[in-house]
Amino acid sequence: MSTVKGRIDEVSAEAARRRTFAVISHPDAGKSTITEAMAVQAAAISTAGAVHGKGDRAGVTSDWMEMERSRGISITSSVLRFDYGGALLNLLDTPGHADFSEDTYRVLSAVDGAVMLLDSAKGLEAQTLKLFDVCKHGDVPIITFVNKWDRPGREPLELLDEIEQRIGLHAAPLNWPVGVAGDFRGLISRADGSFTKFVPAPGGGRAKAVRMSPEDAAAELGDLWETALEELTLLTEIGAELDAEAFTGGISTPVLFGAALPQFGVSALLDALTTYAPPPSARKDAKGEPRPVDAPFSGQVFKVQAGMDKAHRDSLAFIRVFSGRFERGMTLTMGSSGRGLVSKHAQTVFGRDRTTVDTAYPGDVIGLPNTHGLTVGESLYDGPAVTYPAIPAFAPEHFMVCRAKDVGKYKQFRRGIEQLDSEGAVQVLRSDVRGDQAPVLAAVGPLQFEVVAHRMEHEFNSPVVLSTVDFNECRLTDPESGEQLAKMRGVEVFTRSLTGDLVALFADKWRLRAIEREYPDLKIEQMLAAGQY
């Protein structure tokens, strides 16, 4: 009994020091840069890479796919793990491009908190607002970091007001900038009134952070210092103070200012994460019953990715640990089938690099390579059975027929399509009419097709030809309704390979509405749309 209690206490203690979070932002707000800056500040890597690697500038460690490097955007998701201030941080990087919002949704299902990154000049942008809605839907608390304060931007009070007015969060600054955006002089900590001076480095490298007494800062900065103090007094008068319960309850957001590229203010963000971000807690299963973190092991697959290791051409299933202690080699049970799965090759992931992991605790992310049959949303457990809520697929809005350019490489073509389907990189729709040699690919955004074509050629050695089809509306249906729909003009019925669902594609929304009016008893069910989270 004492051994069992000791293990429960160990799991609880390890879970309590973990912080598992994602960074959400609009493209070009600096998400990849802040991701790497946090890792550098925590001494996890020695040099932060710029998104566009040029000359002596490294490409970001977390963006490993060739297309990401050439375009300067995040397409895939990666995991960074590092220690900071006694806490273990698991940072799940997310795709920044709106066309990959479905992948971002999956990642956000695996975190306990998020950092919302704002551009000081642009404030809340469209993709940020969508991702905020995802976090709100999943009760994910948010810490806000206003980035690029070393460049021209808006007034800080104006940005706070925008946060409150547009997304309804009470903004509670933890630090405050001295000097306007673009003429940044440093940050005042609201906790103790200390001042850290911003000293830009020649050539745009890592800035110096110089601690100064308030008296010296006042003497050097004059009116800029007095203005900052007046603004701080105003914040106190309006009650812009952080309440921990309001933060975890999704009512308020701690706000920090800084500049990710010169790595100024990033350590304050890490301090806020370790201090305020929630550790792992009991997760509700598919029945709505919470499974405590100290219960036997359980977790869920939130991502499957191939092509991360060109030497082995394998695939990796990313699993968020929800409860218990994971031990490498233990046999896990798959919730969907009851089939056993041996985990002797479990790994941790840092960007594209991997190391063997022997133990893991709630909040951690482990990777299982080449685990055929593991798909996004699969529950895994040891001991009492548990199934977690499914991670929904989004309604596709773009459709193309995919064929192998070289019919002699059909074997590679089929393997590649099956792999991309299992990852959720694209939805694969099949029908007896079109056959397996010409599946229809369905995507949330058109850039997904470019990724498919690139990966089919470079990872699976099977270049493809993509051609458009005359459909732009997709709905769920059932066998009885599908049989009738398949006979109608402007409609085609498919099976979604990964889930087995029947879906009907319609030529346009007018044809869809006409059929709904004429045949109200048919099952024509709307799927979760990318903009509806």
Side-chain angles (χ1 to χ4, degrees):
M1 181 65 72
S2 60
T3 302
V4 174
K5 184 179 185 302
R7 177 159 294 196
I8 290 175
D9 290 344
E10 176 195 10
V11 169
S12 298
E14 289 292 338
R17 76 182 193 94
R18 279 158 169 76
R19 305 291 184 270
T20 303
F21 66 101
V23 179
I24 61 172
S25 75
H26 195 83
D28 298 325
K31 181 172 62 64
S32 292
T33 305
I34 192 91
T35 295
E36 300 247 343
M38 283 191 280
V40 168
Q41 291 287 330
I45 56 178
S46 58
T47 305
V51 175
H52 293 280
K54 297 179 181 178
D56 295 331
R57 293 167 60 188
V60 290
T61 303
S62 58
D63 285 350
W64 49 265
M65 185 179 285
E66 180 181 335
M67 286 183 66
E68 296 179 303
R69 297 180 184 273
S70 64
R71 291 171 180 256
I73 58 173
S74 295
I75 293 173
T76 57
S77 302
S78 61
V79 181
L80 302 178
R81 171 188 168 113
F82 44 88
D83 288 285
Y84 182 83
L88 195 154
L89 305 180
N90 291 301
L91 196 170
L92 279 59
D93 193 20
T94 60
H97 199 284
D99 283 7
F100 302 92
S101 54
E102 187 172 26
D103 196 41
T104 302
Y105 185 97
R106 297 175 190 137
V107 172
L108 290 175
S109 72
V111 301
D112 302 310
V115 172
M116 181 170 69
L117 189 66
L118 304 185
D119 185 313
S120 65
K122 299 175 182 177
L124 286 165
E125 299 177 82
Q127 181 69 359
T128 315
L129 292 170
K130 288 183 178 181
L131 297 175
F132 165 77
D133 287 340
V134 177
C135 293
K136 185 177 181 180
H137 177 75
D139 297 323
V140 176
I142 290 173
I143 294 174
T144 300
F145 186 84
V146 182
N147 191 26
K148 303 183 183 180
W149 207 255
D150 56 333
R151 306 180 191 181
R154 294 159 61 182
E155 293 289 336
L157 290 172
E158 179 186 351
L159 290 167
L160 296 187
D161 185 62
E162 181 178 35
I163 291 171
E164 300 209 9
Q165 295 299 320
R166 298 191 67 184
I167 62 178
L169 287 180
H170 176 66
L174 300 182
N175 60 20
W176 196 251
V178 178
V180 298
D183 185 23
F184 186 30
R185 302 304 181 90
L187 292 167
I188 299 175
S189 169
R190 292 191 70 199
D192 59 13
S194 62
F195 175 69
T196 305
K197 182 180 178 180
F198 174 70
V199 182
R206 183 172 179 174
K208 291 183 179 180
V210 179
R211 295 293 293 268
M212 296 178 65
S213 68
E215 294 77 17
D216 290 342
E220 178 177 319
L221 299 172
D223 291 344
L224 292 177
W225 180 260
E226 292 301 322
T227 298
L229 293 183
E230 291 172 3
E231 291 171 336
L232 285 171
T233 300
L234 176 61
L235 291 176
T236 301
E237 291 175 350
I238 64 175
E241 311 296 331
L242 179 62
D243 179 276
E245 290 187 6
F247 163 58
T248 55
I251 297 172
S252 71
T253 177
V255 179
L256 299 105
F257 296 83
L261 191 58
Q263 297 181 52
F264 192 84
V266 177
S267 59
L269 173 59
L270 290 168
D271 290 337
L273 281 163
T274 57
T275 303
Y276 301 109
S281 58
R283 282 274 176 150
K284 290 183 178 180
D285 62 19
K287 299 178 182 177
E289 299 174 358
R291 186 173 176 105
V293 294
D294 58 8
F297 171 83
S298 69
Q300 186 175 39
V301 178
F302 67 90
K303 181 174 179 61
V304 179
Q305 179 70 60
M308 295 183 71
D309 188 338
K310 293 184 179 180
H312 298 289
R313 301 287 186 180
D314 61 358
S315 64
L316 196 69
F318 290 82
I319 298 156
R320 158 66 196 261
V321 179
F322 286 150
S323 68
R325 171 182 164 131
F326 170 84
E327 296 180 6
R328 184 167 63 89
M330 68 192 310
T331 299
L332 307 177
T333 303
M334 297 171 60
S336 63
S337 63
R339 183 167 66 87
L341 181 71
V342 179
S343 59
K344 62 181 179 179
H345 299 300
Q347 301 169 337
T348 57
V349 182
F350 187 99
R352 70 184 296 177
D353 300 321
R354 311 185 203 172
T355 56
T356 298
V357 59
D358 292 317
T359 58
Y361 298 91
D364 287 339
V365 173
I366 57 176
L368 295 181
N370 293 329
T371 45
H372 301 292
L374 272 189
T375 56
V376 172
E378 180 68 75
S379 299
L380 297 168
Y381 59 86
D382 177 49
V386 61
T387 301
Y388 289 102
I391 300 175
F394 284 2
E397 300 176 13
H398 304 270
F399 308 91
M400 300 194 85
V401 174
C402 184
R403 296 181 177 86
K405 186 175 290 186
D406 182 351
V407 294
K409 294 185 175 181
Y410 176 67
K411 185 176 181 180
Q412 295 95 315
F413 171 81
R414 184 178 63 183
R415 186 174 70 249
I417 292 296
E418 288 176 352
Q419 176 62 45
L420 295 174
D421 189 22
S422 71
E423 294 178 20
V426 72
Q427 296 180 38
V428 179
L429 310 181
R430 302 184 187 275
S431 70
D432 292 337
V433 175
R434 293 183 180 268
D436 287 343
Q437 295 185 352
V440 171
L441 305 185
V444 173
L447 191 55
Q448 288 178 258
F449 296 129
E450 292 188 43
V451 173
V452 166
H454 181 275
R455 294 185 61 188
M456 286 296 292
E457 178 175 358
H458 295 280
E459 290 181 31
F460 302 101
N461 193 30
S462 178
V464 297
V465 177
L466 295 171
S467 54
T468 57
V469 289
D470 295 328
F471 300 109
N472 58 28
E473 295 288 338
C474 182
R475 295 292 188 271
L476 289 172
T477 188
D478 58 23
E480 183 179 347
S481 299
E483 185 176 353
Q484 296 184 58
L485 288 168
K487 301 174 183 177
M488 299 181 186
R489 176 182 55 82
V491 184
E492 196 166 342
V493 178
F494 296 85
T495 299
R496 192 161 50 172
S497 294
L498 190 60
T499 61
D501 297 330
L502 278 184
V503 297
L505 301 189
F506 298 84
D508 50 52
K509 61 183 179 182
W510 295 280
R511 182 61 180 144
L512 168 61
R513 290 171 182 170
I515 293 174
E516 286 177 323
R517 287 194 301 268
E518 190 171 352
Y519 303 94
D521 294 332
L522 293 181
K523 180 180 179 179
I524 305 175
E525 185 177 308
Q526 189 164 4
M527 299 166 64
L528 179 67
Q532 294 178 332
Y533 297 131

Tab-separated table of all heavy atoms in Angstrom, residues 11 27 91 94 122 142 213 235 241 246 308 384 403 421 467 482 521:
chain	number	residue	atom	x	y	z
A	11	VAL	N	3.428	11.080	-8.813
A	11	VAL	CA	2.710	11.565	-9.998
A	11	VAL	C	2.128	12.953	-9.731
A	11	VAL	O	2.239	13.866	-10.559
A	11	VAL	CB	1.593	10.575	-10.401
A	11	VAL	CG1	0.686	11.194	-11.459
A	11	VAL	CG2	2.200	9.281	-10.921
A	27	PRO	N	-0.509	35.080	-38.330
A	27	PRO	CA	0.765	34.965	-39.028
A	27	PRO	C	1.558	36.282	-38.972
A	27	PRO	O	0.986	37.362	-39.045
A	27	PRO	CB	0.351	34.632	-40.471
A	27	PRO	CG	-0.958	33.923	-40.319
A	27	PRO	CD	-1.641	34.586	-39.159
A	91	LEU	N	6.070	23.191	-24.439
A	91	LEU	CA	5.536	24.190	-25.361
A	91	LEU	C	5.153	23.500	-26.661
A	91	LEU	O	6.008	22.973	-27.367
A	91	LEU	CB	6.573	25.279	-25.613
A	91	LEU	CG	6.115	26.595	-26.243
A	91	LEU	CD1	7.245	27.629	-26.191
A	91	LEU	CD2	5.640	26.463	-27.668
A	94	THR	N	2.311	25.622	-32.765
A	94	THR	CA	1.155	25.374	-33.619
A	94	THR	C	1.338	26.010	-34.985
A	94	THR	O	2.079	26.981	-35.136
A	94	THR	CB	-0.129	25.960	-32.999
A	94	THR	OG1	0.044	27.375	-32.836
A	94	THR	CG2	-0.411	25.336	-31.655
A	122	LYS	N	-0.529	45.975	-34.682
A	122	LYS	CA	-1.766	45.460	-35.273
A	122	LYS	C	-2.786	44.991	-34.247
A	122	LYS	O	-3.976	44.881	-34.569
A	122	LYS	CB	-1.428	44.306	-36.226
A	122	LYS	CG	-0.533	44.732	-37.386
A	122	LYS	CD	-0.120	43.547	-38.239
A	122	LYS	CE	0.808	43.966	-39.363
A	122	LYS	NZ	1.280	42.797	-40.156
A	142	ILE	N	-5.515	32.209	-20.807
A	142	ILE	CA	-4.609	32.867	-21.753
A	142	ILE	C	-3.763	33.922	-21.061
A	142	ILE	O	-4.269	34.764	-20.317
A	142	ILE	CB	-5.414	33.516	-22.893
A	142	ILE	CG1	-6.026	32.436	-23.787
A	142	ILE	CG2	-4.554	34.458	-23.722
A	142	ILE	CD1	-6.967	32.974	-24.829
A	213	SER	N	17.802	51.544	-10.701
A	213	SER	CA	16.935	51.974	-9.611
A	213	SER	C	15.918	52.964	-10.153
A	213	SER	O	16.167	53.642	-11.158
A	213	SER	CB	17.762	52.640	-8.508
A	213	SER	OG	18.291	53.880	-8.972
A	235	LEU	N	-3.867	52.578	-14.099
A	235	LEU	CA	-4.180	51.144	-14.086
A	235	LEU	C	-4.648	50.705	-12.698
A	235	LEU	O	-5.594	49.918	-12.567
A	235	LEU	CB	-2.950	50.335	-14.500
A	235	LEU	CG	-2.499	50.464	-15.959
A	235	LEU	CD1	-1.203	49.686	-16.176
A	235	LEU	CD2	-3.573	49.975	-16.921
A	241	GLU	N	-5.815	44.784	-11.989
A	241	GLU	CA	-4.945	43.914	-11.201
A	241	GLU	C	-5.280	42.465	-11.518
A	241	GLU	O	-6.417	42.122	-11.825
A	241	GLU	CB	-5.136	44.183	-9.701
A	241	GLU	CG	-5.074	45.647	-9.301
A	241	GLU	CD	-3.712	46.269	-9.556
A	241	GLU	OE1	-2.714	45.525	-9.501
A	241	GLU	OE2	-3.656	47.484	-9.817
A	246	ALA	N	-9.692	34.563	-11.465
A	246	ALA	CA	-10.293	35.136	-12.674
A	246	ALA	C	-9.511	34.709	-13.915
A	246	ALA	O	-10.085	34.493	-14.983
A	246	ALA	CB	-10.342	36.653	-12.556
A	308	MET	N	9.514	13.442	-40.207
A	308	MET	CA	10.324	14.230	-39.287
A	308	MET	C	11.772	13.750	-39.277
A	308	MET	O	12.682	14.504	-38.981
A	308	MET	CB	9.749	14.159	-37.872
A	308	MET	CG	8.381	14.790	-37.747
A	308	MET	SD	7.769	14.782	-36.051
A	308	MET	CE	8.834	15.984	-35.278
A	384	PRO	N	-7.844	0.896	-15.495
A	384	PRO	CA	-9.256	1.119	-15.818
A	384	PRO	C	-9.426	1.794	-17.179
A	384	PRO	O	-8.722	2.764	-17.504
A	384	PRO	CB	-9.732	2.032	-14.679
A	384	PRO	CG	-8.804	1.761	-13.552
A	384	PRO	CD	-7.479	1.459	-14.178
A	403	ARG	N	-4.220	12.085	-58.408
A	403	ARG	CA	-3.783	10.913	-59.171
A	403	ARG	C	-2.262	10.856	-59.181
A	403	ARG	O	-1.590	11.892	-59.129
A	403	ARG	CB	-4.293	10.973	-60.618
A	403	ARG	CG	-5.805	10.931	-60.770
A	403	ARG	CD	-6.192	10.964	-62.239
A	403	ARG	NE	-7.630	10.848	-62.439
A	403	ARG	CZ	-8.477	11.880	-62.415
A	403	ARG	NH1	-7.999	13.112	-62.204
A	403	ARG	NH2	-9.758	11.693	-62.600
A	421	ASP	N	-3.528	10.739	-44.806
A	421	ASP	CA	-4.881	10.630	-44.266
A	421	ASP	C	-4.842	10.340	-42.769
A	421	ASP	O	-5.557	10.962	-41.978
A	421	ASP	CB	-5.623	9.525	-45.015
A	421	ASP	CG	-7.108	9.488	-44.670
A	421	ASP	OD1	-7.645	10.525	-44.216
A	421	ASP	OD2	-7.743	8.433	-44.852
A	467	SER	N	-6.348	17.899	-59.651
A	467	SER	CA	-7.295	18.573	-60.541
A	467	SER	C	-8.554	18.917	-59.761
A	467	SER	O	-8.970	18.177	-58.863
A	467	SER	CB	-7.644	17.692	-61.748
A	467	SER	OG	-8.101	16.419	-61.329
A	482	GLY	N	-27.736	8.627	-48.235
A	482	GLY	CA	-26.676	8.674	-49.231
A	482	GLY	C	-27.062	7.983	-50.516
A	482	GLY	O	-26.693	8.424	-51.618
A	521	ASP	N	-36.562	15.081	-45.140
A	521	ASP	CA	-36.328	13.920	-44.277
A	521	ASP	C	-34.948	13.299	-44.470
A	521	ASP	O	-34.553	12.407	-43.710
A	521	ASP	CB	-37.398	12.850	-44.545
A	521	ASP	CG	-38.788	13.318	-44.134
A	521	ASP	OD1	-38.863	14.158	-43.210
A	521	ASP	OD2	-39.774	12.864	-44.746
